[in-house]
Coordinates of all heavy atoms in Angstrom, one line a residue:
M1 N 23.0 8.7 8.3 CA 22.4 7.6 7.5 C 21.0 7.2 8.0 O 20.9 7.0 9.2 CB 23.3 6.4 7.5 CG 22.7 5.2 6.8 SD 23.7 3.7 6.9 CE 25.3 4.2 6.3
P2 N 20.0 7.1 7.2 CA 18.7 6.7 7.6 C 18.7 5.3 8.2 O 19.4 4.4 7.7 CB 17.8 6.8 6.4 CG 18.6 7.7 5.4 CD 20.1 7.4 5.8
K3 N 17.8 5.1 9.1 CA 17.7 3.8 9.7 C 16.8 2.9 8.8 O 16.2 3.4 7.8 CB 17.0 3.9 11.1 CG 17.9 4.5 12.1 CD 17.4 4.5 13.5 CE 18.4 5.2 14.3 NZ 18.2 5.1 15.7
G4 N 16.8 1.6 9.0 CA 16.0 0.7 8.2 C 15.0 0.1 9.1 O 15.2 0.0 10.4
Y5 N 13.9 -0.4 8.6 CA 12.8 -0.9 9.4 C 12.2 -2.2 8.7 O 12.1 -2.2 7.5 CB 11.7 0.1 9.6 CG 12.1 1.3 10.3 CD1 12.7 2.4 9.6 CD2 12.0 1.3 11.7 CE1 13.1 3.5 10.3 CE2 12.5 2.4 12.4 CZ 13.1 3.5 11.7 OH 13.5 4.6 12.4
W6 N 11.8 -3.1 9.5 CA 10.9 -4.2 9.1 C 9.5 -3.8 9.6 O 9.4 -3.5 10.8 CB 11.3 -5.5 9.7 CG 12.5 -6.2 9.2 CD1 13.6 -5.7 8.5 CD2 12.9 -7.6 9.5 NE1 14.5 -6.6 8.3 CE2 14.1 -7.8 8.9 CE3 12.3 -8.6 10.2 CZ2 14.8 -9.0 9.0 CZ3 12.9 -9.8 10.3 CH2 14.1 -10.0 9.7
I7 N 8.6 -3.9 8.7 CA 7.2 -3.7 9.1 C 6.4 -5.0 8.7 O 6.4 -5.3 7.5 CB 6.5 -2.5 8.5 CG1 7.4 -1.2 8.8 CG2 5.1 -2.3 8.9 CD1 7.0 0.0 8.0
A8 N 5.9 -5.7 9.7 CA 5.2 -7.0 9.4 C 3.8 -7.0 10.1 O 3.6 -6.4 11.1 CB 6.1 -8.1 10.0
H9 N 3.0 -7.7 9.4 CA 1.6 -8.0 9.9 C 1.5 -9.5 9.8 O 1.6 -10.1 8.8 CB 0.6 -7.3 9.0 CG 0.8 -5.8 8.8 ND1 0.6 -4.9 9.8 CD2 1.3 -5.2 7.7 CE1 1.0 -3.7 9.3 NE2 1.4 -3.8 8.1
V10 N 1.2 -10.1 11.0 CA 1.3 -11.5 11.2 C 0.0 -12.1 11.8 O -0.5 -11.5 12.7 CB 2.5 -11.9 12.1 CG1 2.7 -13.4 12.2 CG2 3.8 -11.2 11.6
E11 N -0.4 -13.2 11.3 CA -1.4 -14.0 11.8 C -0.8 -15.4 12.3 O -0.4 -16.2 11.4 CB -2.5 -14.2 10.8 CG -3.8 -14.8 11.4 CD -4.5 -13.8 12.3 OE1 -4.6 -12.6 11.9 OE2 -5.0 -14.2 13.4
V12 N -0.7 -15.6 13.6 CA -0.1 -16.8 14.1 C -1.1 -17.9 14.1 O -2.2 -17.7 14.7 CB 0.5 -16.6 15.5 CG1 1.1 -17.8 16.1 CG2 1.6 -15.5 15.4
R13 N -0.8 -19.1 13.5 CA -1.8 -20.2 13.5 C -1.5 -21.2 14.6 O -2.4 -21.9 15.1 CB -1.7 -20.9 12.2 CG -2.1 -20.1 11.0 CD -2.2 -20.9 9.7 NE -1.0 -21.7 9.4 CZ 0.1 -21.3 8.8 NH1 0.1 -20.1 8.3 NH2 1.1 -22.1 8.6
D14 N -0.2 -21.2 15.1 CA 0.2 -22.1 16.2 C 1.1 -21.3 17.2 O 2.3 -21.2 17.0 CB 0.9 -23.3 15.6 CG 1.3 -24.4 16.7 OD1 1.4 -24.0 17.9 OD2 1.5 -25.5 16.3
A15 N 0.4 -20.8 18.2 CA 1.2 -20.0 19.2 C 2.3 -20.7 19.9 O 3.4 -20.1 20.1 CB 0.2 -19.4 20.2
E16 N 2.1 -21.9 20.2 CA 3.2 -22.7 20.9 C 4.4 -22.8 20.0 O 5.6 -22.6 20.4 CB 2.7 -24.0 21.3 CG 3.5 -24.7 22.4 CD 3.7 -23.8 23.7 OE1 2.8 -23.1 24.1 OE2 4.8 -23.9 24.2
A17 N 4.2 -23.2 18.7 CA 5.3 -23.4 17.8 C 5.9 -22.1 17.4 O 7.1 -22.0 17.1 CB 4.8 -24.1 16.5
Y18 N 5.2 -21.0 17.4 CA 5.7 -19.7 17.1 C 6.8 -19.2 18.1 O 7.7 -18.5 17.7 CB 4.5 -18.6 17.1 CG 4.9 -17.3 16.5 CD1 4.9 -17.1 15.1 CD2 5.2 -16.2 17.3 CE1 5.2 -15.9 14.6 CE2 5.5 -15.0 16.8 CZ 5.5 -14.8 15.4 OH 5.8 -13.6 14.8
K19 N 6.7 -19.8 19.3 CA 7.8 -19.5 20.3 C 9.2 -19.9 19.7 O 10.2 -19.3 20.1 CB 7.5 -20.1 21.6 CG 6.3 -19.5 22.3 CD 5.9 -20.3 23.6 CE 4.7 -19.7 24.2 NZ 4.3 -20.5 25.4
E20 N 9.2 -21.0 19.0 CA 10.5 -21.5 18.4 C 11.0 -20.4 17.4 O 12.2 -20.2 17.4 CB 10.3 -22.8 17.6 CG 10.0 -24.0 18.5 CD 9.7 -25.2 17.7 OE1 10.6 -25.5 16.8 OE2 8.7 -25.9 17.9
Y21 N 10.1 -19.8 16.6 CA 10.5 -18.7 15.7 C 11.1 -17.6 16.5 O 12.1 -17.0 16.1 CB 9.3 -18.3 14.8 CG 9.6 -16.9 14.2 CD1 10.5 -16.8 13.2 CD2 8.9 -15.8 14.7 CE1 10.8 -15.6 12.6 CE2 9.2 -14.6 14.2 CZ 10.1 -14.4 13.1 OH 10.4 -13.2 12.6
V22 N 10.4 -17.1 17.5 CA 10.8 -16.0 18.3 C 12.3 -16.3 18.8 O 13.1 -15.4 18.8 CB 9.8 -15.7 19.5 CG1 10.4 -14.7 20.4 CG2 8.5 -15.2 18.9
A23 N 12.5 -17.4 19.4 CA 13.8 -17.8 19.9 C 14.9 -17.8 18.8 O 16.0 -17.3 19.0 CB 13.8 -19.1 20.6
A24 N 14.5 -18.4 17.7 CA 15.5 -18.5 16.6 C 15.8 -17.1 15.9 O 16.9 -16.9 15.6 CB 15.0 -19.5 15.5
S25 N 14.8 -16.3 15.8 CA 15.0 -15.0 15.1 C 15.8 -14.1 16.0 O 16.5 -13.2 15.5 CB 13.7 -14.3 14.8 OG 12.9 -14.1 16.0
K26 N 15.8 -14.3 17.3 CA 16.6 -13.4 18.3 C 18.1 -13.4 17.9 O 18.7 -12.4 18.0 CB 16.4 -13.9 19.7 CG 17.0 -13.1 20.7 CD 16.7 -13.5 22.1 CE 17.4 -12.7 23.1 NZ 17.2 -13.1 24.5
I27 N 18.6 -14.5 17.4 CA 20.0 -14.7 17.1 C 20.3 -13.7 16.0 O 21.3 -12.9 16.0 CB 20.3 -16.1 16.6 CG1 20.1 -17.1 17.8 CG2 21.7 -16.2 16.1 CD1 20.0 -18.5 17.4
A28 N 19.5 -13.7 14.9 CA 19.7 -12.7 13.8 C 19.5 -11.3 14.2 O 20.3 -10.4 13.8 CB 18.8 -13.1 12.6
F29 N 18.5 -11.0 15.0 CA 18.2 -9.7 15.4 C 19.3 -9.1 16.2 O 19.7 -7.9 16.0 CB 16.9 -9.6 16.2 CG 15.7 -9.9 15.4 CD1 14.5 -10.4 16.0 CD2 15.7 -9.8 14.0 CE1 13.4 -10.7 15.2 CE2 14.5 -10.1 13.2 CZ 13.4 -10.5 13.9
E30 N 19.9 -9.9 17.1 CA 21.1 -9.4 17.9 C 22.3 -9.1 17.0 O 23.0 -8.1 17.2 CB 21.4 -10.4 19.0 CG 20.4 -10.4 20.1 CD 20.6 -11.5 21.2 OE1 21.6 -12.3 21.0 OE2 19.9 -11.5 22.2
K31 N 22.5 -10.0 16.1 CA 23.7 -9.9 15.2 C 23.6 -8.6 14.4 O 24.6 -8.0 14.1 CB 23.8 -11.1 14.3 CG 24.9 -11.1 13.3 CD 25.0 -12.3 12.5 CE 26.2 -12.3 11.5 NZ 26.3 -13.6 10.8
Y32 N 22.4 -8.2 13.9 CA 22.3 -7.1 13.0 C 21.7 -5.8 13.7 O 21.4 -4.8 13.0 CB 21.4 -7.5 11.8 CG 22.1 -8.5 10.9 CD1 21.9 -9.8 11.1 CD2 23.0 -8.0 10.0 CE1 22.6 -10.7 10.3 CE2 23.7 -8.9 9.2 CZ 23.5 -10.3 9.4 OH 24.2 -11.2 8.6
G33 N 21.8 -5.8 15.0 CA 21.4 -4.5 15.7 C 20.0 -4.1 15.7 O 19.7 -3.0 15.8
A34 N 19.1 -5.1 15.7 CA 17.7 -4.8 15.7 C 17.2 -4.3 17.0 O 17.6 -4.7 18.1 CB 16.9 -6.1 15.3
K35 N 16.2 -3.4 16.9 CA 15.5 -2.9 18.1 C 14.0 -3.0 17.9 O 13.5 -2.4 16.9 CB 15.9 -1.4 18.3 CG 15.2 -0.7 19.5 CD 15.6 0.7 19.6 CE 14.9 1.4 20.7 NZ 15.2 2.8 20.8
M36 N 13.4 -3.7 18.7 CA 11.9 -3.9 18.6 C 11.2 -2.6 19.0 O 11.4 -2.1 20.1 CB 11.4 -5.0 19.6 CG 11.9 -6.4 19.2 SD 11.2 -6.9 17.6 CE 12.3 -8.2 17.3
L37 N 10.4 -2.1 18.1 CA 9.6 -0.9 18.4 C 8.1 -1.2 18.7 O 7.5 -0.5 19.5 CB 9.7 0.1 17.3 CG 11.1 0.6 16.9 CD1 11.1 1.6 15.8 CD2 11.8 1.3 18.1
A38 N 7.6 -2.2 18.0 CA 6.3 -2.7 18.3 C 6.3 -4.2 18.0 O 6.9 -4.7 17.0 CB 5.3 -2.0 17.3
R39 N 5.6 -4.9 18.9 CA 5.6 -6.4 18.7 C 4.3 -7.0 19.3 O 4.3 -7.4 20.4 CB 6.8 -6.9 19.5 CG 7.0 -8.4 19.2 CD 8.2 -8.9 20.0 NE 9.1 -9.8 19.3 CZ 10.1 -10.3 19.7 NH1 10.6 -10.1 21.0 NH2 10.9 -11.1 19.0
G40 N 3.2 -6.9 18.5 CA 2.0 -7.6 18.9 C 1.2 -6.9 19.9 O 0.3 -7.5 20.5
G41 N 1.4 -5.6 20.2 CA 0.6 -4.9 21.2 C -0.8 -4.5 20.7 O -1.2 -4.9 19.5
A42 N -1.5 -3.7 21.4 CA -2.8 -3.2 21.0 C -2.7 -2.5 19.7 O -1.7 -1.8 19.5 CB -3.4 -2.4 22.2
H43 N -3.7 -2.5 18.9 CA -3.7 -1.8 17.6 C -5.1 -1.5 17.2 O -6.1 -2.1 17.6 CB -2.9 -2.6 16.6 CG -3.6 -3.8 16.1 ND1 -3.7 -5.0 16.8 CD2 -4.4 -4.0 15.0 CE1 -4.4 -5.9 16.1 NE2 -4.9 -5.3 15.0
E44 N -5.2 -0.6 16.2 CA -6.4 -0.3 15.5 C -6.2 -0.4 14.0 O -5.3 0.3 13.5 CB -6.9 1.1 15.9 CG -8.1 1.6 15.1 CD -8.5 3.0 15.4 OE1 -7.8 3.7 16.1 OE2 -9.4 3.4 14.8
T45 N -6.9 -1.2 13.3 CA -6.8 -1.3 11.9 C -7.7 -0.3 11.3 O -9.0 -0.4 11.5 CB -7.1 -2.7 11.4 OG1 -6.1 -3.6 11.9 CG2 -7.0 -2.8 9.9
T46 N -7.2 0.7 10.6 CA -8.1 1.7 10.0 C -8.3 1.6 8.5 O -9.3 2.1 8.0 CB -7.4 3.1 10.3 OG1 -6.1 3.1 9.7 CG2 -7.4 3.5 11.7
E47 N -7.4 0.8 7.9 CA -7.6 0.5 6.4 C -6.9 -0.9 6.2 O -6.0 -1.2 6.8 CB -7.0 1.5 5.6 CG -7.7 2.9 5.6 CD -7.1 3.9 4.6 OE1 -6.7 3.5 3.5 OE2 -7.1 5.1 5.0
G48 N -7.4 -1.6 5.2 CA -6.8 -2.8 4.7 C -7.1 -4.0 5.6 O -7.9 -4.0 6.5
R49 N -6.4 -5.1 5.4 CA -6.6 -6.3 6.1 C -6.0 -6.3 7.5 O -4.9 -5.8 7.7 CB -5.9 -7.4 5.3 CG -6.0 -8.8 5.9 CD -5.5 -9.8 5.0 NE -5.7 -11.1 5.6 CZ -5.3 -12.3 5.1 NH1 -4.7 -12.3 4.0 NH2 -5.6 -13.4 5.7
D50 N -6.7 -6.8 8.4 CA -6.3 -6.9 9.8 C -5.5 -8.2 10.1 O -5.9 -9.2 9.6 CB -7.5 -6.8 10.8 CG -7.1 -6.8 12.2 OD1 -6.2 -6.0 12.5 OD2 -7.7 -7.5 13.0
R51 N -4.4 -8.0 10.8 CA -3.7 -9.2 11.3 C -3.6 -9.0 12.8 O -3.4 -7.8 13.2 CB -2.3 -9.3 10.7 CG -2.3 -9.5 9.2 CD -2.5 -11.0 8.9 NE -2.2 -11.3 7.5 CZ -2.3 -12.4 6.9 NH1 -2.6 -13.5 7.7 NH2 -2.0 -12.6 5.7
A52 N -3.6 -10.0 13.5 CA -3.6 -9.9 15.0 C -2.3 -9.4 15.5 O -2.3 -8.8 16.6 CB -3.9 -11.3 15.6
R53 N -1.2 -9.6 14.8 CA 0.1 -9.3 15.4 C 0.8 -8.3 14.4 O 0.9 -8.6 13.2 CB 1.0 -10.5 15.5 CG 2.3 -10.3 16.2 CD 2.9 -11.7 16.5 NE 4.1 -11.6 17.2 CZ 4.3 -11.5 18.5 NH1 3.2 -11.4 19.3 NH2 5.4 -11.4 19.1
N54 N 1.2 -7.1 14.9 CA 1.8 -6.1 14.1 C 3.2 -5.8 14.7 O 3.3 -5.7 15.9 CB 1.0 -4.9 14.0 CG -0.3 -5.2 13.3 OD1 -0.4 -5.3 12.1 ND2 -1.4 -5.3 14.1
V55 N 4.2 -5.8 13.8 CA 5.6 -5.7 14.3 C 6.4 -4.6 13.6 O 6.2 -4.6 12.3 CB 6.3 -7.1 14.1 CG1 7.8 -7.0 14.6 CG2 5.6 -8.2 14.8
V56 N 7.1 -3.8 14.3 CA 8.0 -2.8 13.7 C 9.4 -3.0 14.4 O 9.5 -3.0 15.6 CB 7.5 -1.4 13.9 CG1 8.5 -0.4 13.3 CG2 6.1 -1.2 13.3
I57 N 10.4 -3.3 13.5 CA 11.7 -3.5 14.0 C 12.6 -2.5 13.4 O 12.7 -2.3 12.2 CB 12.2 -4.9 13.7 CG1 11.2 -6.0 14.2 CG2 13.6 -5.2 14.3 CD1 11.5 -7.4 13.8
E58 N 13.4 -1.8 14.2 CA 14.4 -0.8 13.7 C 15.8 -1.4 13.6 O 16.2 -2.2 14.5 CB 14.4 0.4 14.7 CG 15.3 1.5 14.3 CD 15.3 2.6 15.3 OE1 16.1 2.5 16.3 OE2 14.6 3.6 15.1
F59 N 16.5 -1.0 12.5 CA 17.9 -1.4 12.3 C 18.7 -0.2 12.0 O 18.2 0.9 11.7 CB 18.0 -2.4 11.1 CG 17.4 -3.7 11.3 CD1 16.0 -3.9 11.1 CD2 18.1 -4.8 11.6 CE1 15.4 -5.2 11.3 CE2 17.6 -6.1 11.8 CZ 16.2 -6.2 11.6
P60 N 20.0 -0.3 12.2 CA 20.9 0.9 12.0 C 20.8 1.5 10.6 O 21.0 2.6 10.4 CB 22.3 0.3 12.3 CG 22.1 -0.9 13.1 CD 20.8 -1.5 12.7
S61 N 20.4 0.6 9.6 CA 20.3 1.1 8.2 C 19.4 0.1 7.4 O 19.1 -1.0 7.9 CB 21.7 1.1 7.6 OG 22.2 -0.2 7.5
L62 N 19.0 0.5 6.3 CA 18.2 -0.4 5.4 C 19.1 -1.6 5.0 O 18.6 -2.7 5.0 CB 17.7 0.3 4.1 CG 17.0 -0.6 3.1 CD1 15.8 -1.2 3.8 CD2 16.6 0.2 1.9
K63 N 20.4 -1.4 4.8 CA 21.3 -2.5 4.5 C 21.4 -3.5 5.6 O 21.3 -4.7 5.3 CB 22.7 -1.9 4.2 CG 23.7 -3.0 4.0 CD 24.3 -3.0 2.6 CE 25.5 -3.9 2.3 NZ 25.2 -5.3 2.5
A64 N 21.4 -3.0 6.8 CA 21.4 -4.0 8.0 C 20.1 -4.7 8.0 O 20.1 -5.9 8.3 CB 21.7 -3.2 9.3
A65 N 19.0 -4.1 7.8 CA 17.7 -4.7 7.7 C 17.6 -5.8 6.6 O 17.2 -6.9 6.9 CB 16.6 -3.7 7.5
Q66 N 18.2 -5.5 5.5 CA 18.2 -6.4 4.4 C 19.1 -7.6 4.7 O 18.8 -8.8 4.4 CB 18.6 -5.7 3.1 CG 17.6 -4.7 2.6 CD 18.1 -3.8 1.5 OE1 19.3 -3.4 1.5 NE2 17.3 -3.4 0.6
D67 N 20.3 -7.3 5.2 CA 21.3 -8.3 5.5 C 20.7 -9.3 6.6 O 20.9 -10.5 6.5 CB 22.6 -7.7 6.0 CG 23.4 -7.0 4.9 OD1 23.1 -7.2 3.7 OD2 24.4 -6.3 5.3
C68 N 20.0 -8.7 7.5 CA 19.4 -9.6 8.5 C 18.4 -10.5 7.9 O 18.4 -11.7 8.1 CB 18.7 -8.7 9.6 SG 18.0 -9.7 11.0
Y69 N 17.5 -10.0 7.1 CA 16.4 -10.8 6.5 C 17.0 -11.9 5.6 O 16.5 -13.0 5.6 CB 15.5 -9.9 5.6 CG 14.4 -10.7 5.1 CD1 13.2 -10.9 5.8 CD2 14.4 -11.3 3.8 CE1 12.2 -11.7 5.4 CE2 13.4 -12.0 3.3 CZ 12.3 -12.2 4.1 OH 11.2 -13.0 3.6
H70 N 18.1 -11.6 4.9 CA 18.7 -12.6 4.0 C 19.8 -13.5 4.6 O 20.4 -14.3 4.0 CB 19.2 -11.9 2.7 CG 18.1 -11.2 2.0 ND1 17.1 -11.9 1.3 CD2 17.8 -9.9 1.8 CE1 16.3 -11.1 0.7 NE2 16.7 -9.9 1.0
S71 N 20.0 -13.2 5.9 CA 21.1 -14.0 6.6 C 20.8 -15.4 6.8 O 19.6 -15.8 6.9 CB 21.4 -13.3 8.0 OG 20.3 -13.6 8.9
P72 N 21.8 -16.3 6.9 CA 21.5 -17.7 7.3 C 20.7 -17.9 8.6 O 19.9 -18.7 8.7 CB 22.9 -18.3 7.4 CG 23.8 -17.4 6.7 CD 23.2 -16.0 6.8
E73 N 21.0 -17.0 9.5 CA 20.3 -17.1 10.8 C 18.8 -16.8 10.7 O 18.0 -17.5 11.2 CB 21.0 -16.1 11.8 CG 22.4 -16.4 12.2 CD 23.4 -15.7 11.2 OE1 23.0 -15.1 10.2 OE2 24.6 -15.8 11.5
Y74 N 18.5 -15.8 10.0 CA 17.1 -15.4 9.8 C 16.4 -16.4 8.8 O 15.2 -16.7 9.0 CB 16.8 -14.0 9.5 CG 15.3 -13.7 9.6 CD1 14.7 -13.6 10.8 CD2 14.5 -13.7 8.4 CE1 13.4 -13.4 11.0 CE2 13.1 -13.5 8.6 CZ 12.6 -13.4 9.8 OH 11.2 -13.3 10.0
T75 N 17.1 -16.9 7.8 CA 16.6 -17.8 6.9 C 16.1 -19.0 7.6 O 15.0 -19.6 7.4 CB 17.6 -18.2 5.8 OG1 17.9 -17.0 5.1 CG2 17.1 -19.2 4.9
A76 N 16.8 -19.5 8.6 CA 16.4 -20.7 9.4 C 15.2 -20.3 10.3 O 14.2 -21.1 10.4 CB 17.6 -21.1 10.3
A77 N 15.2 -19.1 10.9 CA 14.0 -18.7 11.7 C 12.8 -18.5 10.8 O 11.7 -19.0 11.2 CB 14.4 -17.4 12.4
R78 N 13.0 -17.9 9.6 CA 11.8 -17.7 8.7 C 11.2 -19.0 8.3 O 9.9 -19.1 8.2 CB 12.3 -17.0 7.5 CG 11.2 -16.6 6.5 CD 11.7 -15.7 5.4 NE 12.7 -16.3 4.6 CZ 13.9 -15.8 4.4 NH1 14.3 -14.6 5.0 NH2 14.8 -16.4 3.7
A79 N 12.0 -20.1 8.1 CA 11.4 -21.4 7.7 C 10.5 -21.9 8.8 O 9.4 -22.5 8.6 CB 12.5 -22.4 7.5
I80 N 10.8 -21.6 10.1 CA 10.0 -22.0 11.2 C 8.7 -21.2 11.2 O 7.6 -21.7 11.3 CB 10.7 -21.8 12.6 CG1 11.9 -22.7 12.7 CG2 9.7 -22.0 13.7 CD1 12.8 -22.4 13.8
R81 N 8.8 -19.9 11.0 CA 7.7 -19.0 11.0 C 6.7 -19.3 9.9 O 5.5 -19.3 10.1 CB 8.1 -17.5 10.9 CG 6.9 -16.5 10.8 CD 7.3 -15.1 10.6 NE 8.3 -14.8 9.6 CZ 8.0 -14.7 8.3 NH1 6.8 -14.9 7.8 NH2 9.0 -14.4 7.4
Q82 N 7.2 -19.6 8.7 CA 6.3 -19.8 7.6 C 5.5 -21.1 7.7 O 4.4 -21.2 7.1 CB 7.1 -19.9 6.3 CG 7.6 -18.5 5.9 CD 8.6 -18.5 4.7 OE1 9.2 -19.5 4.4 NE2 8.6 -17.3 4.1
K83 N 5.9 -22.0 8.6 CA 5.1 -23.2 8.9 C 3.9 -22.9 9.8 O 2.9 -23.7 9.9 CB 6.0 -24.3 9.5 CG 7.0 -24.8 8.5 CD 7.8 -25.9 9.2 CE 8.9 -26.3 8.2 NZ 9.9 -27.2 8.9
V84 N 4.0 -21.9 10.7 CA 3.1 -21.7 11.8 C 2.3 -20.3 11.7 O 1.5 -20.0 12.6 CB 3.7 -21.9 13.1 CG1 4.3 -23.3 13.2 CG2 4.8 -20.9 13.4
A85 N 2.7 -19.5 10.7 CA 2.1 -18.1 10.7 C 2.0 -17.6 9.2 O 2.8 -18.0 8.4 CB 2.9 -17.2 11.5
D86 N 1.1 -16.8 9.0 CA 1.0 -16.0 7.7 C 1.4 -14.6 7.9 O 1.0 -14.0 9.0 CB -0.4 -16.1 7.2 CG -0.9 -17.5 6.9 OD1 -0.1 -18.3 6.3 OD2 -2.0 -17.9 7.3
A87 N 2.1 -14.0 7.0 CA 2.6 -12.7 7.2 C 2.8 -11.9 5.9 O 3.0 -12.5 4.8 CB 3.9 -12.7 7.9
E88 N 2.7 -10.6 6.0 CA 3.1 -9.6 5.0 C 4.2 -8.9 5.7 O 4.1 -8.5 6.8 CB 2.0 -8.7 4.6 CG 0.9 -9.3 3.8 CD -0.2 -10.0 4.7 OE1 -0.4 -9.5 5.8 OE2 -0.7 -11.0 4.2
M89 N 5.3 -8.6 4.9 CA 6.4 -7.9 5.5 C 7.1 -7.0 4.4 O 7.1 -7.4 3.3 CB 7.5 -8.9 6.0 CG 8.6 -8.3 6.7 SD 9.9 -9.4 7.3 CE 9.0 -10.6 8.2
V90 N 7.5 -5.8 4.9 CA 8.2 -4.9 4.0 C 9.4 -4.4 4.8 O 9.4 -4.2 6.0 CB 7.3 -3.7 3.6 CG1 6.8 -2.9 4.7 CG2 8.0 -2.9 2.5
L91 N 10.5 -4.2 4.1 CA 11.7 -3.6 4.6 C 11.8 -2.2 4.0 O 11.7 -2.1 2.8 CB 13.0 -4.4 4.2 CG 13.3 -5.7 5.0 CD1 12.1 -6.7 5.0 CD2 14.5 -6.3 4.5
V92 N 11.9 -1.2 4.8 CA 11.8 0.2 4.3 C 12.9 1.0 5.0 O 13.3 0.8 6.1 CB 10.4 0.7 4.6 CG1 10.1 0.8 6.1 CG2 10.2 2.1 4.0
E93 N 13.4 2.0 4.2 CA 14.3 3.0 4.7 C 13.6 4.1 5.4 O 12.6 4.6 4.9 CB 15.2 3.5 3.5 CG 16.3 4.5 3.9 CD 17.1 4.9 2.7 OE1 16.6 5.5 1.8 OE2 18.3 4.6 2.8
G94 N 14.1 4.5 6.5 CA 13.6 5.6 7.3 C 13.9 7.0 6.6 O 14.7 7.0 5.7
V95 N 13.4 8.0 7.1 CA 13.7 9.4 6.6 C 15.1 9.8 7.2 O 15.5 9.3 8.3 CB 12.6 10.4 7.1 CG1 11.3 10.1 6.4 CG2 12.5 10.5 8.5
P96 N 15.8 10.6 6.4 CA 17.1 11.0 6.9 C 17.0 11.8 8.2 O 16.0 12.5 8.5 CB 17.7 11.9 5.8 CG 16.9 11.6 4.6 CD 15.5 11.1 5.1
D97 N 18.1 11.7 9.1 CA 18.1 12.4 10.4 C 18.1 13.9 10.1 O 18.6 14.4 9.2 CB 19.3 11.9 11.2 CG 19.1 10.5 11.7 OD1 18.0 10.0 11.8 OD2 20.2 9.9 12.0

């Protein structure tokens, strides 16, 4: 079964308050088997809009990625994030093994 991914591009407006989101989202990520592959490291924008923080999160499947995003745990974390950061996010299915 192909894995699922969250790909997000984020501009944090309040770094201190963003820490609350990170702590809250960890609960959902652990529950749904998330694995951080990229989280705000060095990057090069070659096309499109640049965001300071780029994130790639791997899940066991696209369904797990979707279930995490729509879960009560992540819904609460998302509400925190949306107050302190702007983001574009896509949930995508990986290629078959």
Side-chain angles (χ1 to χ4, degrees):
M1 173 185 304
K3 295 186 178 190
Y5 298 88
W6 287 16
I7 302 171
H9 307 287
V10 183
E11 192 69 44
V12 177
R13 295 188 311 272
D14 183 339
E16 198 58 37
Y18 192 79
K19 291 176 185 177
E20 291 179 50
Y21 161 73
V22 171
S25 64
K26 184 177 179 182
I27 298 165
F29 294 155
E30 288 177 354
K31 180 176 180 179
Y32 291 94
K35 178 181 177 184
M36 295 293 164
L37 300 180
R39 189 184 222 179
H43 72 281
E44 175 186 0
T45 299
T46 55
E47 294 184 34
R49 183 175 182 180
D50 183 46
R51 295 280 191 180
R53 187 172 182 82
N54 297 282
V55 180
V56 180
I57 307 172
E58 180 182 84
F59 289 84
S61 65
L62 177 59
K63 174 115 173 65
Q66 293 167 327
D67 289 348
C68 182
Y69 185 82
H70 297 291
S71 70
E73 296 87 355
Y74 190 73
T75 297
R78 184 174 58 239
I80 297 166
R81 177 181 49 80
Q82 289 175 334
K83 291 177 185 174
V84 300
D86 298 312
E88 288 84 33
M89 186 181 306
V90 61
L91 282 56
V92 62
E93 184 176 59
V95 295
D97 293 335

